[in-house]
Each structure stands twice: as structure tokens, then as C-alpha cells.
């Protein structure tokens, strides 16, 4: 659940000095050859991080040094940061995530957890199929294969070796250590994706601390094996980011004059909203259900449903809520489309 935004080309010049025991006179290795290595705790970034953790959060300096001393940097993940699947055209992205066997597994998953999901849907207003869609896209409903790394190694690797996200990962590292302390978790016991997200819903540490819910009331927020906690946490997250009960995600949109020039004149962007009434004045046609208020806000996007075609979409509040999970048009579309497929079996 990370939005990467615009990504630029990779500059490796900063990688080497951060690896402990590096010999600056030897040639810079390519990332694929760079050995996994330990942290240099004398690096100013770690001096400042450890100072923050001891002074503001009352961690013991010796404990932190022992903890950080055990980190194994995973330099190969940096290449993955530079090539997120979110940059693919939608038809390819969708093909990569929505597969027939995942749809079948998802439909069965909804049925197996129906009662629990219905209770959570009622309480939070987020449909069960949307909750399950996110879990299917994130981890194939908890399949451990996406979690190949130790979370603490990953958060440190991104902080130490990826300047573009340094501030983001500094905050995540602090949140992770606080989370481990609060929940009684050994920092080295959590596995994560290459981006440092963990649990069945793939929460980052800051999101876990803010939005995870102890739904089964056993005193722990368990996003690994408690389905109640997992489902309610996803629902709570979406609700906190504006999910509207019975609201819309997206609809196809058309211009009264469908010329390419007119298409280009529509301002696109997930969060560039205008009132629906304004869109109507601009000649944008959207097949709205009668229940929708005309003062509701809408934004627009162009996407590629298949190779060589481009189409206009109208995006609504619930779409923007989904993309707060991962700020990407592809992600929002795939979650919305997959959720529709999970529903089908219910009506048959
Ligand atoms: Ca719990």
C-alpha cells in the first residue's frame, strides 16, 4: 500500500558509502552484484535516527545498537522500487493480477467468511467484496509468497539506500519500532514485501498503528491470522479515507463530442475533483444511477482497457478511498474490477 508517484531514473552514487566496511577506492558494484551487508551506524542518518528514538521515544541506546547491528541490507530491492507494476498500461496490470484461479479462490473466500464479513460490512459500510478484493490483490488472501523479506531489513534498506523515499521510510522505521513495542512483537519476526508492508492486508507500520482494529477483542491487533482483525482493519482504513456507504467507485464517461482534441481537454487526475453539475456543463456524459446527488464530486482519468485504445473514466469518492491504499489508477481499477467478480457467485 504505497503510492510511488512519479519515478525518476536511478542514481547509484549514494549506495556504496552506506555499506559498512566499504572500500571507497574499489569500483562501484552494480546493484545485482552488491553483497547484502550491515548498516553503518556512524552514518549521520543513523546517528540522528537513534537520537530521535532514544530522546523522543525512550528506547535504550544500547538496545537499538544491538538491534540495528543485526540488520542485513537487501540492496536488490532498490531496483524493484524503480519498476513498480503500477506503471504498466491497465490491460497488462489487470492480466497480471486477476487470474481465473484467484477469482475462484476469492469467491470461495467470501463464502467461507460470509458471516464475519457481513457484520463488518454492516458496521463500517464497506462491502465485503471490496475488502476481499484488496486482500486478494495484496497477498492472494494471505499467501505468504509475497513476504520474502524481514520487514526490519527492508525498512532499513529503503531508509539507508533510497534517498528518494528516505523521509517516508524514516517515519515508517520509527513507527515500526513503536508498533513492535506496543504489540509485543520481536522486530525480526515480521516478514514483509520488498516495500516493507506486512500482514494479509499489507499495511505499512504507520497505517497499522493508525488504522488496524482489534475486532475480535483479544487485546492484539493481529493482521496475520485473525480474519476479524484483518477484515475490519481494511474496512476501517477505507472508511477513514472517505469510503461512502453505497457510493460509487467508477463509471465510464463520454464526451458529447468524442474527438481526440476534446478528450485531451478534460483535466485528468484522481484527486482533481469537480462537481458533477460542472462535468455536465462541460458535455461529459456519465450513466449515473438516480440515487446520485448532483453536487457529488467527480474526477477523471484516461486508461487503456486494451492495447491501442484509450477511454475516459469518471472516478468517485470510493475510488479515491481505494487509491489511498495505493495511489495508483491501475490499483483502484483492479480492486474495483476484482470486487465485482467476487460478487458474481453470490447472485448465481
Ligand atoms: Ca485481535
Amino acid at each position: 500500500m504505497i503510492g510511488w508517484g512519479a519515478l525518476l531514473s536511478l542514481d547509484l552514487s549514494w549506495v556504496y558509502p552506506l555499506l559498512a566496511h566499504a572500500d571507497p577506492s574499489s569500483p562501484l558494484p552494480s546493484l545485482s552484484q552488491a553483497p547484502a551487508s550491515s548498516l553503518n551506524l556512524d552514518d549521520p542518518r543513523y546517528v540522528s535516527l537513534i537520537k530521535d528514538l532514544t530522546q523522543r521515544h525512550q528506547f535504550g541506546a544500547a538496545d537499538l545498537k544491538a538491534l540495528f547491528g543485526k540488520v542485513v541490507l537487501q540492496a536488490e530491492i532498490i531496483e524493484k522500487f524503480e519498476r513498480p507494476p503500477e506503471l504498466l498500461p491497465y490491460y497488462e496490470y489487470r492480466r497480471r493480477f486477476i487470474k481465473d484461479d484467484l477469482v475462484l479462490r476469492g469467491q470461495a473466500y467470501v463464502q467461507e467468511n460470509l458471516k464475519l464479513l457481513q457484520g463488518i460490512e454492516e458496521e463500517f459500510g464497506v462491502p465485503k467484496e471490496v475488502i476481499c478484493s484488496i486482500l486478494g490483490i495484496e497477498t492472494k488472501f494471505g499467501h505468504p509468497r509475497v513476504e520474502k523479506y524481514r520487514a526490519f531489513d527492508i525498512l532499513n534498506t529503503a531508509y539507508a539506500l533510497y534517498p528518494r523515499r528516505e523521509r517516508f521510510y524514516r517515519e515508517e522505521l520509527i513507527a515500526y519500532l513503536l508498533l513492535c513495542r506496543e504489540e509485543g512483537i520481536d522486530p525480526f519476526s515480521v516478514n514483509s514485501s520488498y516495500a516493507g508492508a506486512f500482514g494479509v492486508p499489507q499495511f505499512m507500520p504507520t497505517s497499522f498503528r493508525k488504522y488496524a482494529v482489534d475486532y475480535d477483542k483479544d487485546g492484539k491487533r493481529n493482521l496475520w491470522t485473525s480474519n476479524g482483525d484483518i477484515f475490519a482493519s481494511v474496512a476501517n482504513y477505507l472508511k477513514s479515507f472517505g469510503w461512502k456507504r453505497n457510493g460509487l467507485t467508477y463509471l465510464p464517461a463520454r464526451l458529447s463530442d468524442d474527438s481526440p482534441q476534446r478528450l485531451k481537454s478534460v483535466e485528468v487526475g484522481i484527486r482533481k475533483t469537480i462537481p458533477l453539475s460542472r462535468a455536465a456543463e462541460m458535455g461529459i456524459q456519465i450513466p449515473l444511477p438516480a440515487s446520485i446527488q448532483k453536487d457529488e464530486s467527480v474526477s477523471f482519468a484516461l486508461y487503456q482497457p486494451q492495447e491501442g485504445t484509450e477511454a475516459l473514466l469518471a472516478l468517485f469518492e470510493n475510488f479515491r478511498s481505494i487509491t489511498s491504499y495505493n495511489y495508483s489508477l491501475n490499483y483502484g481499477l483492479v480492486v474495483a474490477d476484482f470486487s465485482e467478480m467476487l460478487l458474481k457467485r453470490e447472485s448465481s
Side-chain angles (χ1 to χ4, degrees), residues 214 216 218 220 222 229:
D214 176 19
D216 64 14
D218 70 345
K220 296 227 178 273
N222 174 352
D229 290 8

Side-chain angles (χ1 to χ4, degrees), residues 29 32 40 52 56 68 108 115 189 229 253 260 273 275 307 339 345:
S32 55
N40 174 8
D52 237 19
R56 288 180 50 212
F68 283 112
K115 262 199 136 157
S189 71
D229 290 8
T273 59
E307 202 170 350
S339 74
R345 175 149 162 213

Side-chain angles (χ1 to χ4, degrees), residues 139-197:
T139 54
K140 299 184 167 70
F141 311 105
H143 200 283
R145 213 171 39 185
V146 298
E147 298 194 318
K148 289 196 296 201
Y149 304 96
R150 297 194 302 188
F152 196 52
D153 286 344
I154 292 306
L155 297 171
N156 277 288
T157 302
Y159 176 59
L161 303 185
Y162 196 54
R164 207 162 290 137
R165 302 289 289 184
E166 183 185 313
R167 285 177 60 186
F168 174 85
Y169 278 101
R170 187 183 205 278
E171 208 183 315
E172 294 299 338
L173 257 176
I174 293 172
Y176 182 72
L177 290 175
L178 292 172
L179 174 70
C180 289
R181 184 166 70 184
E182 288 155 4
E183 302 284 328
I185 297 168
D186 167 4
F188 283 106
S189 71
V190 176
N191 284 352
S192 78
S193 68
Y194 75 87

